[in-house]
Amino acid sequence: MARVPMQSLSSPQGRIFQVEYAQEAVKQGSVVVGLVNKTHAVLVGLKRNAEELSSYQKKIIEIDSHMGIAIAGLASDARVLSNYMKQQSLGSRMTYGRPIPVDRIVTQIADRAQTNTQHYGKRPYGVGLLVAGVDEAGPHLFEFQPSGMIHEMLACAIGARSQMARTYLERNLDKITNSTRDELITHGLRALKETLSQDKELTVDNTSVGVVGLAGEEGKGKIESFKLYEGQQLVPLLEAVESGETKEEETMEVDS
Amino acid sequence: MNHYPEVWGRPRDDIYGPYNSSYLQTTGPKTHTQSPAVTGTSVIAVKFNGGVAIAADNLASYGSLARFTDVKRLRVFGDSAVVGFSGDVSDMQYIDRLLESLDIRENYSTHGNMMNAKNLHTYLSKVLYKRRSEFNPLWNHILVAGFDEDKKPFLSSADLLGTTYSAPHLATGFGAHLAIPILRRLFPEEKPLEEISKGEAEAALRECLKVLWYRDARSLDKYSIAVITAEGVEIKEDQVIEAQSWAFAESIRGYGAQVN
Amino acid sequence: MTSIGTGYDLSNSVFSPDGRNFQVEYAAKAVENGGTAIGIRCKDGVVLAVEKIITSKLLKPGANKRIATVDRHVGIVSAGLVPDGRHFVSRARDEAASWRSVYKGPIPVSALSNRLGSYVQAYTLYSSVRPFGVTAIVGGWDSEAELAVDGQVGSGPKSGSGGKVDGARAGGPGLYMIEPSGLYWGYYGAATGKGRQAAKAELEKLDLSSGNLSLVDAVKEAARIIYVAHEDSKDKDFELEMSWISSLDGPTHGRHEEVPKQLLEEAEKAAKRSLEGEDEEEEEVAKDGPNQGERMEE
């Protein structure tokens, strides 16, 4: 295909090839899963390392105390977006003294992404995001795509082999929606586990978990700030996944 | 008469000394934005159990001239906040437009996340501070009344410098001198908010406005009062000060027949 | 399309030898795949409605709104590429806000549509951009009352110069549809998206130009029409979203708002009933379509 102008529509259905190629970059990123119940939003991600001795690529980024993102695709594009989101969050706290509503900030990055699909000399972002956060309307999970598409989801997975995770989420959707905080994390990790190839498993090194939600009864209207679980903090969470399908609740008490 | 037009109609140098013509200078910074023109006087407000009451008269003065007598200086924002303005009326109109566009933006999405009075106060104080830092202040002193994020009554002030402060009852302009002492007597610090009823708060404001009408020469006997509760904002914009008694005025020097 | 592959279809702002701008035509193609969107203009208000195909079970029901509020009195619904629709709405909001800052009052729906038409047309002119992949329906209510000027303080003189004119009436409903080419018309009933043919046929039956349809009835008709238009893609689940703008003395007081839940449910029930009446033997089969997360149309 010679000399196709960067941003042009193409026959037969009015597709934009550049955008579709960008979506491929998302598919090649390692998988991340997000899910919500009535009080919390959880992100889990599978971290990759380039080689045995190298560190693992960060998959979950805190934006503000009420919000975090999980990324799949080009990490550098994600950094541009996350920096922008951090600025906007701080701006809202500075100007209005309130945490920015989740749908608003997601729309802002989506509008930026849309511009990159319509104007010459730009390329779409090569990254997909899951945005988890809480605001006055409760917990939220959004999916963001390079096309500028955003969707508010109950549960979602993007990245390599994410179809397996989505299948798990769809099958357990009712349970997820009505789960407790700790069960929600376990469901997230199980969905993540579904995507692993035979020879792999979830370890404290390759797993990341982010949790944000409404605080319980004692702090009415207050939130449980975004918390990232990595390394040894993951031990009880991973144990809960291992400890079978029945008794998640008791083993999870450690982190509340 | 001589052939220097700039001295025509001015005091003669030979009698009054050299004329100070520095004000005729056309260069130098603009200064007209640094003083108000058409102004509103006091705004007063009181917190009570379950809400806030706020009041201001309907006058916009041009200097000492009572120029406009049907001016609404209380502005409702959303469904649970009221901003009361004193100071320059055209700057108030400008801020009102800011509030209008802010309200429109807030309503783009429908569910939840409405801005409360506290957020609004933070925003307005930043606007005021930014403008004073540009040496182009918005010449207002405002009170913001409503609720905070915990649904507790909220009342706070911001002035043309961006200074903010808060108290269970507040007043701007002359009210800071004439109404605050009355409000402090009626609602002393040790009296908890829970013991102040909506009726008491409203009555106190009306009483303060009456005193202001008696003693503030830039005030009016027509006023607006807004009561903000969990049910919403109840605003009345055509109130009249009733049961006036000017008997006390007889003892004031310079009033009526008594000249000295 | 005989000119495909000749190169004339690859760049915007280029005419093919037979006088076509292919990029605009392709944009229109994107619209044809989008969920059906309609608008109905009646005497006492405007209704907007859109069919939202549920592409995944994991989507949060009732969230993901597709009808946007532009100013207090204007709403926009579009069919085609959803992100382009958001760009369009964002421009509309800027136009409405800039009108307010200049004229100290709300923008008339006709003026807004005109400006948006010009904006969309500009995206057909340059090779540095591609056209909008949306057809948008703009609905609104121009206030019939003599409006207070934005930020006005007093009530002004009661009579005489600058005073009120008794019985003066202006304003009313406005409904416009703007296409990727920048072309726009005013409508009594407008339809776009996948099911537009069926929807148009239904709209024509309503005899909207006679002005006999009430706003509440229009809500019910709009719901029914979306259901009718959905018949061709019956295998996919969908959500109905509706908004309305009434006159000042109507239910929304001249504001653009979501149709209240109760009325929406009532209208949906009635719509389903009328469809069942038409073909009883056909059963309601609703299965999830394939996951189409990558597509930008909804």
Side-chain angles (χ1 to χ4, degrees):
Chain A
M1 202 177 4
R3 301 197 56 75
V4 178
M6 288 291 274
Q7 301 307 344
S8 67
L9 292 148
S10 75
S11 148
Q13 286 117 18
R15 291 156 58 191
I16 306 159
F17 282 126
Q18 270 297 302
V19 172
E20 297 190 6
Y21 301 158
Q23 316 261 28
E24 290 304 314
V26 178
K27 284 189 191 158
Q28 284 167 29
S30 69
V31 65
V32 286
V33 177
L35 54 176
V36 278
N37 63 10
K38 300 201 166 75
T39 57
H40 286 79
V42 166
L43 298 171
V44 299
L46 185 67
K47 294 187 285 187
R48 272 206 288 239
N49 55 349
E51 51 192 291
E52 201 61 22
L53 294 174
S54 76
S55 65
Y56 286 80
Q57 177 67 248
K58 211 168 150 67
K59 294 293 284 181
I60 300 177
I61 303 168
E62 176 179 343
I63 299 297
D64 197 343
S65 60
H66 71 298
M67 184 171 29
I69 60 169
I71 64 176
L74 304 183
S76 39
D77 283 16
R79 206 167 58 241
V80 171
L81 286 170
S82 66
N83 283 343
Y84 177 74
M85 290 172 85
K86 286 173 186 175
Q87 279 174 14
Q88 294 298 313
S89 302
L90 285 173
S92 174
R93 286 198 189 264
M94 173 75 182
T95 316
Y96 303 106
R98 71 163 176 184
I100 194 163
V102 184
D103 67 326
R104 193 168 301 190
I105 196 167
V106 171
T107 309
Q108 283 176 359
I109 55 166
D111 287 352
R112 270 180 67 138
Q114 193 278 339
T115 308
N116 293 350
T117 72
Q118 199 171 15
H119 295 255
Y120 179 78
K122 299 185 175 186
R123 66 161 173 83
Y125 292 113
V127 68
L129 306 180
L130 296 180
V131 183
V134 280
D135 55 31
E136 280 177 32
H140 299 280
L141 172 71
F142 284 89
E143 178 195 9
F144 161 88
Q145 293 273 339
S147 59
M149 277 296 266
I150 41 169
H151 287 296
E152 180 159 12
M153 311 293 285
L154 295 169
C156 190
I158 53 172
R161 300 165 63 88
S162 58
Q163 183 54 48
M164 323 277 204
R166 279 201 296 276
T167 308
Y168 174 89
L169 296 171
E170 280 183 24
R171 264 197 212 124
N172 295 282
L173 196 56
D174 287 344
K175 275 190 232 161
I176 289 168
T177 318
N178 296 308
S179 63
T180 65
R181 172 193 184 277
D182 297 341
E183 286 164 4
L184 193 67
I185 299 172
T186 310
H187 279 300
L189 289 168
R190 285 211 186 111
L192 193 68
K193 210 174 163 188
E194 294 283 322
T195 69
L196 299 178
S197 50
Q198 293 277 304
D199 54 328
K200 281 221 177 128
E201 55 184 324
L202 295 181
T203 68
V204 291
D205 295 319
N206 71 8
T207 311
S208 238
V209 176
V211 185
V212 65
L214 301 167
E217 285 304 309
E218 64 278 4
K220 252 206 168 335
K222 294 281 183 296
I223 66 161
E224 177 188 332
S225 292
F226 189 85
K227 181 163 170 31
L228 187 61
Y229 292 84
E230 288 202 298
Q232 290 308 308
Q233 296 167 298
L234 286 167
V235 172
L237 307 184
L238 291 172
E239 271 172 7
V241 179
E242 295 300 324
S243 76
E245 329 299 310
T246 44
K247 305 181 126 199
E248 300 97 1
E249 294 97 316
E250 293 128 39
T251 44
M252 300 287 298
E253 280 305 302
V254 223
D255 335 284
S256 48
Chain B
M1 186 77 75
N2 56 30
H3 55 274
Y4 298 114
E6 67 272 21
V7 305
W8 294 349
R10 298 217 162 90
R12 283 168 57 180
D13 289 0
D14 53 339
I15 296 174
Y16 298 100
Y19 184 71
N20 180 0
S21 57
S22 61
Y23 82 96
L24 292 169
Q25 208 177 323
T26 50
T27 56
K30 281 182 188 157
T31 53
H32 69 272
T33 62
Q34 301 193 21
S35 62
V38 178
T39 58
T41 183
S42 322
V43 180
I44 51 178
V46 193
K47 281 200 227 179
F48 58 85
N49 186 17
V52 192
I54 182 169
D57 70 28
N58 293 349
L59 179 69
S61 308
Y62 182 60
S64 59
L65 173 69
R67 180 65 185 81
F68 304 102
T69 53
D70 60 350
V71 169
K72 278 73 184 176
R73 296 196 290 125
L74 300 182
R75 293 296 162 123
V76 180
F77 182 87
D79 47 14
S80 67
V82 173
V83 186
F85 292 87
S86 55
D88 193 276
V89 169
S90 55
D91 284 350
M92 168 185 116
Q93 290 176 312
Y94 169 75
I95 294 172
D96 190 52
R97 277 180 209 123
L98 290 184
L99 294 179
E100 184 107 338
S101 64
L102 184 64
D103 182 60
I104 290 169
R105 288 203 302 276
E106 280 295 296
N107 285 298
Y108 284 160
S109 68
T110 44
H111 48 88
N113 296 311
M114 264 312 288
M115 190 169 273
N116 59 40
K118 195 178 172 191
N119 301 141
L120 189 62
H121 175 261
T122 308
Y123 168 70
L124 287 174
S125 67
K126 305 281 154 150
V127 171
L128 289 162
Y129 179 69
K130 177 170 185 288
R131 289 291 295 264
R132 85 100 220 193
S133 302
E134 291 166 358
F135 289 92
N136 186 15
L138 292 163
W139 210 273
N140 298 103
H141 190 170
I142 60 167
L143 299 186
V144 183
F147 295 96
D148 64 12
E149 66 271 21
D150 300 323
K151 315 273 183 248
K152 286 206 291 253
F154 174 86
L155 174 62
S156 197
S157 142
D159 68 10
L160 68 168
L161 302 175
T163 314
T164 62
Y165 53 89
S166 189
H169 40 256
L170 287 172
T172 69
F174 248 63
H177 304 98
L178 296 174
I180 288 292
I182 300 172
L183 293 170
R184 283 192 184 152
R185 197 186 66 233
L186 288 173
F187 311 122
E189 224 174 316
E190 55 278 13
K191 187 169 178 172
L193 203 61
E194 289 70 37
E195 285 175 22
I196 303 171
S197 73
K198 176 176 146 182
E200 282 175 301
E202 219 182 312
L205 290 189
R206 290 182 198 275
E207 191 57 32
C208 289
L209 282 167
K210 189 190 284 184
V211 170
L212 284 163
W213 166 234
Y214 286 149
R215 320 216 82 126
D216 176 1
R218 307 286 168 265
S219 70
L220 194 68
D221 57 348
K222 295 180 186 65
Y223 64 96
S224 307
I225 188 163
V227 180
I228 309 140
T229 58
E231 278 80 59
V233 179
E234 186 194 343
I235 186 164
K236 287 171 256 176
E237 291 181 321
D238 48 1
Q239 304 290 293
V240 179
I241 290 172
E242 279 156 3
Q244 294 175 33
S245 163
W246 288 84
F248 72 95
E250 298 301 325
S251 61
I252 298 177
R253 244 177 11 148
Y255 178 80
Q258 188 187 348
V259 178
N260 290 306
Chain C
M1 259 173 236
T2 50
S3 305
I4 295 173
T6 57
Y8 290 109
D9 62 335
L10 295 180
S11 180
N12 199 8
S13 84
V14 172
F15 277 118
S16 75
D18 49 350
R20 297 156 66 183
N21 181 339
F22 276 96
Q23 280 289 302
V24 171
E25 291 185 18
Y26 293 164
K29 278 268 183 277
V31 174
E32 287 172 19
N33 293 319
T36 314
I38 63 165
I40 298 177
R41 172 182 179 273
C42 38
K43 244 188 179 156
D44 49 348
V46 179
V47 181
L48 301 175
V50 62
E51 164 208 32
K52 294 189 288 188
I53 300 289
I54 298 171
T55 51
S56 161
K57 266 212 272 197
L58 299 175
L59 284 166
K60 184 173 176 181
N64 300 306
K65 296 290 181 209
R66 285 274 308 284
I67 307 180
T69 302
V70 168
D71 199 323
R72 286 174 180 155
H73 63 301
V74 185
I76 290 182
V77 63
S78 59
L81 309 183
V82 175
D84 285 21
R86 272 205 324 275
H87 176 187
F88 183 87
V89 166
S90 150
R91 178 65 185 197
R93 286 170 175 171
D94 289 350
E95 290 289 359
S98 105
W99 182 282
R100 273 186 188 274
S101 74
V102 175
Y103 299 107
K104 315 297 179 222
I107 189 168
V109 187
S110 57
L112 178 66
S113 305
N114 178 279
R115 287 179 172 205
L116 289 170
S118 303
Y119 187 68
V120 168
Q121 191 271 155
Y123 275 76
T124 69
L125 285 176
Y126 308 102
S127 59
S128 55
V129 293
R130 62 168 175 80
F132 277 82
V134 289
T135 290
I137 300 173
V138 180
W141 182 271
D142 297 330
S143 174
E144 69 271 38
E146 205 162 317
L147 281 187
V149 175
D150 210 353
Q152 176 179 299
V153 282
S155 43
K158 295 210 168 38
S159 61
S161 174
K164 308 283 183 279
V165 181
D166 266 338
R169 278 181 83 81
L175 182 69
Y176 296 83
M177 184 158 76
I178 298 152
E179 297 171 23
S181 59
L183 175 89
Y184 77 98
W185 298 101
Y187 288 85
Y188 286 111
T192 180
K194 204 169 206 161
R196 67 196 174 288
Q197 298 296 359
K200 271 184 201 164
E202 292 298 318
L203 284 167
E204 280 163 15
K205 289 182 204 162
L206 294 179
D207 187 25
L208 291 164
S209 56
S210 68
N212 291 326
L213 191 70
S214 77
L215 185 61
V216 175
D217 289 341
V219 167
K220 295 190 173 151
E221 289 297 340
R224 190 182 63 77
I225 291 170
I226 292 292
Y227 270 83
V228 170
H230 182 71
E231 285 286 278
D232 289 338
S233 37
K234 241 185 166 179
D235 52 322
K236 294 173 187 152
D237 265 343
F238 79 103
E239 227 177 61
L240 171 66
E241 183 184 336
M242 288 205 286
S243 71
W244 61 350
I245 314 106
S246 80
S247 60
L248 292 187
D249 46 11
T252 80
H253 310 289
R255 282 168 171 266
H256 175 250
E257 289 173 359
E258 282 170 26
V259 169
K261 211 170 162 221
Q262 201 193 339
L263 180 56
L264 181 77
E265 280 166 7
E266 220 175 279
E268 277 198 274
K269 226 181 269 173
K272 280 181 199 158
R273 234 182 294 129
S274 81
L275 277 191
E276 277 161 20
E278 275 171 29
D279 41 21
E280 282 138 332
E281 67 273 28
E282 267 188 83
E283 253 182 86
E284 215 184 307
V285 191
K287 282 276 168 295
D288 304 313
N291 192 338
Q292 289 168 313
E294 285 161 33
R295 294 203 15 232
M296 287 161 76
E297 307 98 1
E298 286 206 330

